[in-house]
């Protein structure tokens, strides 16, 4: 057992750091507004460098890094507070296409997926099928060279930006629910596809409903075999859960809160939160729990390095990772005091918020962050997975 | 000992509950929030007509109530209905100060409040004071028969929609002294006073009040010069107890909504309410709700009975509020799945208000420490 990274790994870290210094300069960290343009811009910078999808096989554009190098990369990205790459592309549909797609599909879709010339969204959940995903009812009926798709998807993140959607659809209603599902790629511009925004607490527009009405999808957009979609979906969910712990993002966020709490100018003549024993206790508890999470993640990384794939322990990372994100975002609300109350997210260019900068998004961020224990399989479902798959209960 | 409400209190509750059920459902509330003013004068007038304002004042102010129990009946229903009209700032805060200090001016203003003709706000917090009521940087200097006020009051509820404000300013002493704080009654259109208004994230109206050499006549002094701290403390403690009653209504409603939702939502071929982990979570929510109710009754009864320290009671209730609202709110959202975080569902709005009630008048940590100091567990 040894905690230090090899010389080679440290050299690699330096390479990552200098790339980030150049392309995501220190003075913009934590300040870049998140929108389609800035997100794509960053994705494309990573792509130009060849680093946008480290986990992919090299032949499709991956980096060939070891899991440790990937970990270092994630860590440095988080420290620099960059955006992630477009996860729907790099962690979700991309791996499905290169694993299960035909040679033609790989050729057609992998390059624009890697470069984000296609922005993908994930069409799994439906109004009636959340935790029980396999009960989904969106129907695809084969007619000649096409599938005719009818149904609706919901909670589709960034469907408003997306060019394509990868969907789970029911192609055989007469078999066990997991066995009649197929994996279809659908161009969002196809007639019959409509998107309706869902606004979440605090006013964000991240998720949508996607209605599919007699949508004609060429059969060549079917991934793998008809009725094998559940296998591909499960494969994808495994990938979706990697880096779900967000340890380094949480550490960075906590550091920012500590800076605010200790800032003399912000405190003025008033009490300073960094002197408040209750605040200190919460920060230290979070730090210690984050360390437990970090080393759980490192152990799972070591397993992966030894050739054992990410197993059910990724559910531990999801549970604790999201709980910690939520605790930190509540701490931000506490730090904001009365200024957590004003809703001032729609200010014009010459308008200033009533309270200090750190207070503006605190409450909205906390409310929005309740999603993390719901999406990607709720934390109750994650516990069910551990109970069954790890504990054999 | 007796936990019964009087017949009058029950009648008031029933008529208010009926009004809110019939005229103030969730869609109506959302429309009111989205309207230009963000609150409904019409509803306000009907509250006055129902006697909700007069019920908060004793007979000497031509009211017909004024006990903490009276107020709790109203606030509980407001919690259940998630009412956004400025009752707390007008009646409980500003009205509370006026009632406390008394006099002809107070009598006149309370009459206007009771008639539904006057909306008020109380500016007590400051940008850097967190929850310390004694932290007053805003200055009031006596010049001849006027006072001149300069400073900034933070997040004053209803400041942007009020007709008049009561502002805490320092007439003597240092920034964090209890002595030397005074209260002033100020018309909103007085020269030098500006309000940076905004809605709050949970749908109320508020604003920062900026005072730039605001001149008010000496007669605007409310209560005794330099002696406002105990007044503020007493009024805020009563407001906390009223807020506890509101929280009790909010918690009750969130528990109801969650029970209904989980009974109707099916996954894996069964209502999700059948899953035992969710049942246990809902049981814990129920326990937290019961505790909120118990602590509200405790505080309300102590406030109405001689010989109890209302400060201790208020702080205990506020600590409970923080715990109950957080657990119940977060759990409800979790049990609603994705639906819980949409603006379309009522539950998320109750959660947001529940969260913000913890912040108002000092959060759980603040009141835990205050309790410790008041009871001698912690050095003062
Ligand atoms: C912000 C956000 C973004 C999302 N983005 C996407 C996206 O891009 N694409 C996509 O396809 N989906 C997306 N989702 C959907 C997400 O995957 C679902 O919300 C999630 O699977 C839960 O489903 P549900 O919301 O229907 O909740 P439900 O399944 O109805 O769950 C309600 C409650 O019941 C509990 N529960 C359900 N079953 C059990 C059980 N067996 N045992 C114990 N408890 C149980 C749940 O844990 C939860 O607490 C997103 C969701 C959110 C909130």
């Amino acid at each position: 057992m040894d905690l230090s990274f090899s010389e080679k790994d440290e050299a690699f870290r330096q390479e990552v750091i200098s790339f980030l210094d150049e392309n995501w300069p220190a003075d913009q960290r934590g300040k870049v507004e998140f929108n389609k343009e800035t997100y794509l811009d960053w994705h494309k910078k990573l792509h130009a460098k060849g680093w946008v999808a480290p986990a992919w096989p090299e032949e499709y554009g991956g980096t060939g890094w070891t899991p440790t190098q990937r970990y270092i990369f994630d860590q440095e990205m988080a420290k620099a507070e960059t955006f992630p790459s477009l996860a729907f592309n790099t962690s979700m549909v991309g791996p499905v296409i290169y694993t299960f797609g035909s040679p033609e599909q790989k050729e057609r879709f992998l390059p624009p997926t890697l470069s984000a010339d296609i922005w993908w969204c994930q069409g799994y959940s439906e109004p009636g099928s959340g935790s029980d995903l396999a009960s989904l009812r969106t129907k695809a009926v084969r007619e000649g060279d096409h599938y005719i798709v009818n149904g609706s998807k919901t909670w589709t993140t960034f469907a408003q930006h997306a060019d394509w959607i990868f969907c789970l659809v029911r192609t055989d209603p007469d078999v066990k629910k997991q066995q009649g599902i197929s994996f279809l790629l659908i161009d969002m511009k196809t007639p019959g596809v409509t998107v309706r925004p869902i606004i979440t607490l605090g006013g964000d527009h991240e998720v949508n409903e996607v209605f599919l009405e007699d949508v004609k999808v060429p059969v060549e957009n079917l991934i793998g075999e008809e009725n094998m979609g559940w296998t591909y979906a499960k494969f994808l969910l495994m990938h979706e859960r990697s880096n779900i712990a967000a340890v380094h993002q949480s550490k960075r966020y906590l550091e920012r809160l500590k800076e605010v709490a200790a800032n003399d100018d912000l405190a003025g003549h008033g009490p300073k939160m960094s002197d408040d024993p209750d605040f200190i206790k919460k920060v230290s508890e979070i730090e210690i729990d984050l360390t437990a999470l970090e080393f759980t993640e490192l152990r799972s990384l070591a397993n992966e390095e030894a050739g054992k794939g990410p197993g059910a322990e990724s559910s531990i990372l999801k549970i604790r990772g999201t709980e910690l994100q939520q605790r930190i975002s509540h701490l931000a609300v506490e730090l904001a005091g009365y200024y957590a109350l004003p809703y001032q997210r729609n200010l014009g260019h010459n308008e200033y918020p009533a309270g200090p900068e750190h207070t503006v998004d605190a409450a909205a961020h906390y409310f929005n962050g309740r999603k993390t224990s719901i999406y990607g399989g709720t934390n109750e479902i994650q516990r069910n997975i551990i109970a069954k798959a790890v504990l054999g209960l | 000992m007796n936990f019964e409400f009087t017949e009058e209190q029950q009648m008031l509750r029933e008529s208010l509950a009926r009004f809110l059920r019939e005229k103030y459902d969730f869609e109506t509330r959302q429309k009111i929030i989205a309207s230009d003013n963000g609150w409904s004068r019409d509803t306000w007038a009907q509250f006055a007509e129902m006697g909700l304002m007069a019920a908060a004042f004793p007979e000497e102010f031509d009211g017909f109530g004024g006990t903490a129990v009276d107020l709790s009946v109203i606030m509980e229903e407001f919690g259940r209905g998630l009412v956004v009209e400025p009752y707390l700032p007008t009646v409980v805060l500003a009205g509370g100060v006026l009632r406390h200090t008394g006099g002809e001016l107070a009598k006149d203003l309370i009459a206007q409040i009771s008639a539904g003709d006057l909306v008020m706000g109380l500016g007590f917090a400051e940008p850097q004071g967190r929850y310390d009521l004694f932290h007053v940087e805003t200055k009031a200097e006596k010049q001849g028969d006027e006072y001149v006020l300069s400073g900034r009051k933070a997040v004053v509820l209803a400041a942007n929609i009020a007709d008049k404000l009561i502002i805490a300013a320092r007439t003597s002493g240092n920034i964090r002294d209890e002595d030397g704080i005074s209260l002033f009654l100020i018309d909103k259109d007085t020269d030098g006073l500006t309000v940076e208004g905004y809605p709050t994230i949970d749908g109320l109206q508020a604003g920062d009040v900026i005072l730039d050499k605001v001149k008010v006549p000496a007669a605007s002094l409310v209560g005794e010069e330099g002696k406002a701290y105990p007044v503020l403390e007493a009024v805020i403690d009563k407001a906390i107890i009223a807020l506890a009653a509101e929280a009790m209504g909010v918690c009750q409603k969130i528990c109801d909504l969650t029970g209904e939702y989980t009974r109707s939502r099916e996954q894996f071929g069964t209502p999700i309410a059948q899953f035992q982990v969710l049942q246990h979570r809902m049981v814990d929510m129920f326990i937290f709700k019961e505790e909120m109710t118990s602590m509200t009754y405790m505080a309300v009864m102590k406030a109405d009975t001689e010989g109890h320290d209302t400060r201790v009671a208020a702080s205990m209730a506020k600590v409970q509020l923080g715990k109950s609202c957080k657990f119940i709110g977060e759990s409800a959202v979790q049990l609603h799945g994705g639906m819980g975080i949409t603006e379309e569902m009522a539950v998320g709005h109750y959660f947001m208000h529940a969260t913000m009630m913890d912040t108002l008048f000092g959060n759980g940590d603040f009141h835990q420490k205050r309790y410790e100091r008041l009871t001698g567990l912690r050095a003062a």
Side-chain angles (χ1 to χ4, degrees):
Chain A
M1 288 187 107
D2 180 3
L3 243 187
S4 55
F5 288 99
S6 71
E7 236 167 77
K8 202 166 141 248
D9 288 337
E10 285 304 337
F12 172 76
R13 186 191 297 279
Q14 283 317 312
E15 194 188 339
V16 173
I17 290 176
S18 44
F19 168 78
L20 290 172
D21 283 347
E22 216 163 288
N23 292 281
W24 192 267
D27 58 2
Q28 73 176 46
R29 293 179 185 173
K31 294 189 189 121
V32 188
E33 193 193 328
F34 184 92
N35 58 42
K36 183 175 184 177
E37 224 169 65
T38 54
Y39 202 173
L40 275 181
D41 188 57
W42 176 239
H43 184 103
K44 285 179 185 289
K45 274 193 181 142
L46 287 171
H47 179 248
K49 177 76 181 171
W51 286 0
V52 79
W56 288 24
E58 279 179 270
E59 55 178 313
Y60 302 122
T63 54
W65 292 339
T66 61
T68 305
Q69 285 176 312
R70 263 154 46 202
Y71 176 81
I72 290 171
F73 179 69
D74 286 344
Q75 191 178 25
E76 293 305 326
M77 292 259 285
K79 277 191 196 160
E81 295 174 88
T82 69
F83 301 148
S85 69
L86 202 53
F88 311 102
N89 291 32
T90 57
S91 322
M92 299 188 196
V93 76
V96 169
I97 295 174
Y98 68 63
T99 311
F100 302 107
S102 66
E104 295 74 34
Q105 287 170 334
K106 289 182 201 178
E107 197 179 330
R108 179 177 172 201
F109 289 110
L110 286 180
T113 299
L114 199 66
S115 66
D117 286 327
I118 294 179
W119 181 309
W120 289 95
C121 65
Q122 180 187 26
Y124 276 26
S125 308
E126 297 181 5
S129 307
S131 298
D132 182 14
L133 183 59
S135 69
L136 60 94
R137 290 210 302 244
T138 294
K139 214 172 45 174
V141 179
R142 176 93 186 240
E143 276 183 19
D145 294 341
H146 288 85
Y147 287 102
I148 308 298
V149 182
N150 277 289
S152 61
K153 295 292 174 180
T154 193
W155 311 122
T156 323
T157 300
F158 295 142
Q160 75 268 36
H161 301 324
D163 306 299
W164 282 71
I165 180 169
F166 53 96
C167 275
L168 292 180
V169 294
R170 185 155 305 283
T171 35
D172 186 347
D174 301 322
V175 290
K176 220 181 126 217
K177 61 185 180 180
Q178 287 84 356
Q179 283 164 7
I181 294 171
S182 299
F183 196 107
L184 267 190
L185 311 179
I186 304 178
D187 186 339
M188 295 288 281
K189 286 187 295 294
T190 320
V193 180
T194 45
V195 176
R196 189 188 76 89
I198 300 174
I199 305 301
T200 51
L201 300 181
D204 294 300
H205 175 200
E206 293 173 356
V207 289
N208 304 272
E209 283 185 278
V210 177
F211 300 99
L212 304 155
E213 209 184 321
D214 291 329
V215 178
K216 266 179 91 174
V217 182
V219 287
E220 66 255 29
N221 291 3
L222 174 78
I223 291 287
E225 287 173 51
E226 203 177 80
N227 297 327
M228 284 295 288
W230 189 247
T231 309
Y232 313 147
K234 278 202 312 202
F235 166 86
L236 184 156
L237 284 175
M238 286 279 265
H239 275 260
E240 187 184 346
R241 278 176 202 146
S242 61
N243 195 32
I244 197 111
V247 171
H248 300 289
Q249 279 82 359
S250 288
K251 280 190 173 176
R252 192 67 204 93
Y253 190 18
L254 193 63
E255 285 310 315
R256 281 216 179 275
L257 297 186
K258 284 161 71 177
E259 285 162 25
V260 166
N263 185 309
D264 289 314
D265 291 337
L266 286 172
H269 298 285
K272 211 157 71 178
M273 284 300 274
S274 61
D275 297 331
D276 180 328
D278 291 322
F279 185 78
I280 295 171
K281 178 144 193 276
K282 283 178 203 171
V283 169
S284 66
E285 281 173 347
I286 291 173
E287 286 185 353
I288 291 166
D289 289 348
L290 269 173
T291 306
L293 178 64
E294 182 178 12
F295 275 77
T296 308
E297 189 178 37
L298 286 171
R299 281 172 55 219
S300 117
L301 191 77
N303 267 341
E304 206 184 327
E305 200 124 300
K308 304 173 213 155
E313 68 266 19
S314 66
S315 292
I316 305 179
L317 304 180
K318 163 85 195 330
I319 294 169
R320 276 291 186 265
T322 55
E323 285 172 354
L324 280 159
Q325 289 172 41
Q326 293 176 339
R327 277 161 66 189
I328 296 169
S329 67
H330 191 262
L331 207 55
V333 174
E334 292 181 38
L335 202 53
Y338 274 114
Y339 282 119
L341 281 139
Y343 184 78
Q344 296 195 290
R345 304 183 86 201
N346 299 327
L347 292 179
H349 271 300
N350 295 321
E351 295 174 303
Y352 296 94
E357 202 52 47
H358 73 95
T359 62
V360 176
D361 276 334
H365 192 83
Y366 163 69
F367 295 136
N368 181 283
R370 302 315 303 171
K371 72 185 175 191
T372 62
S373 53
I374 294 168
Y375 64 29
T378 69
N379 283 12
E380 285 77 18
I381 295 298
Q382 303 297 339
R383 285 184 167 89
N384 287 351
I385 292 172
I386 296 178
K388 280 209 189 73
V390 183
L391 304 180
L393 303 174
Chain B
M1 199 168 42
N2 162 13
F3 283 84
E4 302 278 301
F5 293 97
T6 65
E7 212 169 296
E8 290 79 28
Q9 286 162 346
Q10 280 176 30
M11 274 166 55
L12 188 70
R13 179 195 298 285
E14 274 158 30
S15 65
L16 176 55
R18 186 172 345 103
F19 174 83
L20 295 176
R21 226 174 17 246
E22 290 169 3
K23 303 266 171 63
Y24 205 93
D25 60 9
F26 176 65
E27 282 75 47
T28 311
R29 174 198 188 258
Q30 293 310 91
K31 276 197 200 116
I32 290 173
I33 289 179
S35 69
D36 283 346
N37 297 325
W39 68 294
S40 161
R41 268 187 194 282
D42 215 36
T43 304
W44 189 249
Q46 298 189 58
F47 286 168
E49 209 168 291
M50 289 162 72
L52 301 189
M53 282 75 158
F57 298 101
E59 266 170 40
E60 55 186 293
F61 295 99
D62 298 324
F64 51 82
T67 66
V69 181
D70 293 319
L71 202 52
S72 76
V73 167
I74 296 166
M75 293 301 288
E76 183 185 352
E77 295 308 319
F78 280 173
R80 234 188 288 273
L82 212 55
V83 169
V84 296
E85 276 61 31
Y87 189 87
L88 185 74
T90 303
V91 178
V92 183
L93 293 173
V97 167
L98 295 169
R99 172 182 167 182
H100 202 285
T101 51
E104 278 312 302
L105 180 64
K107 218 171 164 182
D108 176 44
L109 292 171
I110 287 174
Q112 292 180 50
I113 289 175
S114 295
D117 294 335
L118 185 62
V119 172
M120 292 187 71
L122 176 66
F124 56 91
E126 299 220 349
Q128 295 174 323
R130 286 195 75 81
Y131 307 122
D132 294 327
L133 293 173
F134 48 77
H135 183 112
V136 177
E137 299 188 38
T138 300
K139 280 205 184 91
E141 274 174 62
K142 187 128 195 217
Q143 290 182 2
D145 50 7
E146 284 182 335
Y147 286 94
V148 184
L149 279 72
S150 287
R152 181 181 187 114
K153 306 307 287 189
V155 197
V156 180
L157 288 179
N160 53 347
I161 58 172
D163 310 298
K164 292 180 196 292
L165 300 171
I166 294 176
I167 296 290
R170 186 165 287 289
T171 38
S172 65
N174 296 317
I175 287 173
R176 289 172 65 77
D177 286 351
E178 291 182 4
D179 267 349
I181 302 168
S182 306
L183 295 169
F184 296 92
L185 178 72
I186 310 183
D187 272 337
K188 265 272 289 301
D189 52 14
T190 310
D191 278 348
L193 184 152
T194 39
V195 175
E196 270 179 27
Y198 39 74
T200 66
I201 196 159
D202 52 340
L204 308 178
Q205 294 298 318
D208 274 28
V209 179
I210 295 126
L211 303 135
D212 181 17
K213 302 196 194 74
V214 175
K215 290 195 179 109
V216 294
S220 314
L221 184 71
V222 180
E224 260 183 88
E225 187 181 285
K227 298 274 177 266
Y229 179 72
V231 179
L232 278 175
E233 198 183 27
V235 169
I236 299 291
D237 279 334
K238 282 193 180 164
I240 287 172
I241 294 169
L243 198 71
E246 184 179 352
M248 164 172 116
V250 166
C251 289
Q252 169 82 60
K253 181 71 182 200
I254 297 179
C255 288
D256 290 350
L257 288 171
T258 307
E260 279 163 32
Y261 186 78
T262 55
R263 271 193 289 269
S264 65
R265 170 72 172 170
E266 293 193 8
Q267 288 291 274
F268 304 99
T270 171
I272 58 173
Q274 291 303 313
F275 297 122
Q276 201 165 44
V277 283
L278 303 195
Q279 291 178 353
H280 284 193
R281 183 86 86 107
M282 284 187 274
V283 169
D284 287 335
M285 290 167 72
F286 170 75
I287 293 172
F288 269 114
K289 183 215 80 182
E290 286 300 310
E291 287 173 331
M292 188 67 244
T293 306
S294 303
M295 289 297 257
T296 302
Y297 286 0
M298 173 283 296
V300 161
M301 293 195 295
K302 286 191 176 173
D304 282 343
T305 317
E306 288 293 320
H308 296 284
D309 190 341
T310 309
R311 299 174 303 170
V312 176
S315 278
M316 286 198 283
K318 196 63 176 41
V319 169
Q320 183 68 51
L321 184 155
K323 282 195 262 194
S324 290
C325 282
K326 183 159 188 283
F327 184 86
I328 291 173
E330 291 183 348
S331 299
V333 169
Q334 183 68 22
L335 266 50
H336 277 75
M339 292 309 286
I341 63 160
T342 66
E343 282 207 330
E344 285 156 49
M345 293 279 283
V347 69
H349 295 266
Y350 282 90
F351 166 51
M352 291 200 285
H353 188 49
T355 304
M356 290 302 134
M357 282 196 288
D358 178 37
T359 295
L360 214 53
F361 309 133
N363 66 5
D365 281 352
F366 176 85
H367 281 282
Q368 187 87 37
K369 285 196 277 265
R370 183 172 180 245
Y371 172 87
E372 290 163 9
R373 271 193 304 273
L374 288 169
T375 56
L377 282 164
R378 178 189 289 264

